């Protein structure tokens, strides 16, 4: 019988840790085991305490001034020590820019597997974690199970609903650990220029594609977005090729779940659509009636976005 026990969650993004606790609780209850969260950083006691309300039986806090900033080596070493000691059965790691590589390296050190970007998690009749992830450019969903433990899966933001706070708090456990000096020193970090709200959290996204001719024309989308209190998104070419944005929506970008997604001048190929499947309502504005975006759109406007967007803004402003 395996000595691995318990479901654990970790992300350097504590909002994502909280989201994963909901799914973690469900898995732990089915397995009749405990749920724990790991928080690594400095001066995070209050935040770790806050997490204890969301279903975790225990929140393990690893604090040290040397852990103030995320450092892949130090965080990996700390996480490895904790997990090697507690031997969880399942570990969910937030699929962030830092989380994904750390999960893979952790799996390597623990001699186990890692399944990235899981959009659904369940258990099979043998209690093994069944991970679902989008594959083949968004054309298929793969179901995967592990042969080894711990079973390490990474989870993107908003893959699962936020859990409701519980009546009773889990226990906060401070870990006493020695942080070794990493071999690589981070000399400087600069914040990436991104929108103030994470696009994965936006309720309304007005997104543009190559149908937008000039960078200045983004102001047209901003006009509509302002009325709807939304955020601007884009397809990959506008970020990767034209460098107008630093992030994009889609398979290789952000998966979003807004209440409203307006795709302006976006063709809607599979790689883009893979990121917007969870949107509640999709509106497409495209001059080509054959554009694939209309296949997934709830509402479609065939027309020139340079005419439609100003008219839409005007109509919205007239709304009481
Ligand atoms: C491995 C891989 C991963 C990828 N990941 C992503 C990803 O995460 N996200 C992503 O977006 N793409 C991704 N791509 C790129 C993707 O394949 C497409 O190239 C891209 O999504 C196309 O962007 P677009 O729709 O803006 O441009 P286009 O395909 O060129 O579409 C422009 C659309 O605008 C319409 N249009 C033009 N002018 C107007 C106008 N005045 N008014 C209204 N409509 C107009 C056109 O009819 C057309 O439908 C990926 C590609 C690969 C190979």
């Amino acid at each position: 019988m395996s000595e691995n026990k318990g479901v654990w969650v970790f992300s350097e993004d504590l909002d994502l840790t909280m989201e994963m606790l909901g799914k973690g609780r469900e898995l732990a209850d089915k397995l009749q085991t405990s749920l724990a969260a790991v928080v690594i950083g400095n001066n995070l006691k209050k935040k770790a305490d806050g997490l204890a309300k969301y279903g975790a039986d225990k929140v393990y806090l690893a604090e040290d001034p040397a852990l103030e900033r995320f450092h892949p080596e130090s965080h990996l070493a700390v996480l490895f020590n904790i997990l090697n000691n507690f031997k969880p059965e399942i570990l969910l790691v937030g699929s962030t820019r830092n989380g994904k590589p750390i999960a893979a390296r952790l799996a390597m050190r623990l001699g186990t597997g890692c399944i990235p970007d899981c959009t659904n998690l369940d258990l099979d009749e043998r209690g093994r974690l069944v991970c679902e992830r989008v594959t083949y450019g968004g054309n298929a969903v793969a179901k995967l199970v592990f042969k080894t433990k711990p079973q390490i899966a990474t989870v993107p933001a908003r893959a699962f609903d936020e859990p409701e706070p519980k009546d009773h708090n889990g226990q906060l456990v401070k870990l006493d650990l020695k942080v070794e000096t990493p071999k690589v020193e981070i000399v400087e970090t600069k914040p990436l220029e991104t929108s103030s709200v994470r696009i994965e959290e936006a309720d309304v996204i007005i997104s543009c594609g190559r149908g937008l001719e000039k960078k200045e024309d983004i102001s047209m989308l901003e006009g509509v977005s302002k009325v709807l209190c939304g955020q601007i998104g884009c397809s990959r070419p506008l970020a990767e090729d034209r460098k107008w944005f630093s992030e994009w929506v889609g398979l290789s970008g952000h998966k979003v779940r807004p209440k409203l997604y307006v795709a302006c001048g976006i063709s809607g190929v599979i790689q883009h659509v893979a990121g917007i499947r969870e949107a509640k309502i999709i509106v497409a504005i495209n001059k080509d009636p054959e554009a694939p975006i209309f296949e997934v759109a709830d509402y479609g406007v065939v027309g020139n976005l340079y005419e439609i967007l100003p008219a839409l803004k005007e109509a919205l402003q007239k709304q009481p």
Side-chain angles (χ1 to χ4, degrees):
M1 214 173 102
S2 160
E3 58 176 334
N4 297 74
K5 290 256 166 344
V7 177
W8 286 53
V9 304
F10 165 76
S11 178
E12 78 288 1
D13 173 346
L14 297 184
D15 291 336
L16 186 45
T17 304
M18 194 247 277
E19 281 175 27
M20 290 189 294
L21 281 173
K23 182 48 107 176
R25 184 73 266 165
E26 183 192 312
L27 296 171
D29 287 347
K30 283 188 188 169
L31 288 166
Q32 298 183 344
T33 187
S34 57
L35 173 66
V38 192
V39 175
I40 301 176
N42 195 30
N43 291 325
L44 289 176
K45 184 173 175 302
K46 215 169 152 191
K47 289 193 172 161
D49 244 342
L51 280 177
K53 290 191 190 79
Y54 290 91
D57 298 302
K58 285 186 179 162
V59 177
Y60 289 95
L61 177 62
E63 277 197 308
D64 192 285
L67 298 169
E68 176 94 42
R69 279 204 313 205
F70 182 89
H71 191 299
E73 260 184 81
S74 320
H75 275 62
L76 176 65
V78 169
L79 205 51
F80 172 75
N81 283 336
I82 300 172
L83 299 176
N84 205 26
N85 192 20
F86 288 95
K87 302 202 182 331
E89 182 169 3
I90 293 174
L91 171 68
L92 308 182
V93 178
S95 261
T96 61
R97 217 180 284 261
N98 293 324
K100 273 206 274 192
I102 218 176
R105 291 168 73 180
L106 194 61
M108 180 71 196
R109 283 204 191 180
L110 292 166
T112 187
C114 174
I115 301 179
D117 293 327
C118 300
T119 49
N120 201 12
L121 298 167
D122 207 347
L123 298 164
D124 67 9
E125 65 291 346
R126 288 163 57 190
R128 289 182 307 177
L129 187 64
V130 182
C131 303
E132 283 186 17
R133 66 187 304 271
V134 175
T135 186
Y136 291 120
N139 284 312
V141 175
K143 273 192 184 183
L144 302 117
V145 289
F146 294 84
K147 287 183 174 173
T148 49
K149 287 185 181 169
Q151 304 163 94
I152 301 181
T154 79
V155 176
R158 305 199 95 185
F160 303 116
D161 293 333
E162 282 180 18
E164 293 293 324
K166 304 271 182 285
D167 295 338
H168 72 282
N169 265 17
Q171 185 192 354
L172 186 68
V173 184
K174 266 197 101 171
L175 294 169
D176 194 16
L177 34 91
K178 191 171 158 283
V179 184
E180 284 166 27
T181 314
K183 293 182 194 71
V184 174
E185 184 190 352
I186 296 175
V187 183
E188 192 189 357
T189 55
K190 284 188 195 161
L192 202 68
E193 278 179 35
T194 53
S195 37
S196 50
V197 180
R198 289 196 312 161
I199 197 148
E200 304 97 304
E201 284 170 10
D203 279 340
V204 175
I205 299 173
I206 315 294
S207 215
C208 49
R210 275 203 288 226
L212 204 68
E213 286 161 19
K214 297 190 295 303
K215 190 175 179 187
E216 302 85 84
D217 300 338
I218 297 170
S219 61
M220 233 172 19
L221 280 90
E222 283 167 347
V224 175
S225 159
K226 210 167 159 197
V227 189
L228 294 172
C229 300
Q231 257 195 251
I232 307 293
C234 70
S235 65
R236 184 160 108 167
L238 266 58
E240 280 255 286
D241 307 339
R242 297 188 188 171
K243 311 283 180 213
W244 295 355
F245 299 88
S246 56
E247 48 190 1
W248 63 89
V249 171
L251 182 69
S252 56
H254 292 288
K255 317 261 183 318
V256 295
R257 299 174 82 188
K259 290 181 183 148
L260 174 66
Y261 187 84
V262 186
C264 314
I266 295 179
S267 55
V269 296
I270 194 72
Q271 292 91 359
H272 188 81
V273 168
I276 62 172
R277 280 191 203 286
E278 301 282 318
K280 288 222 164 59
I281 295 175
I282 298 173
V283 175
I285 303 171
N286 198 304
K287 65 180 184 186
D288 174 8
E290 303 295 323
I293 191 73
F294 289 122
E295 285 166 30
V296 292
D298 299 283
Y299 301 93
V301 185
V302 178
N304 185 342
L305 67 90
Y306 284 86
E307 289 163 16
I308 311 286
L309 282 175
L312 181 62
K313 182 181 159 197
E314 206 183 312
L316 286 168
Q317 279 172 330
K318 283 191 191 143
Q319 293 291 313

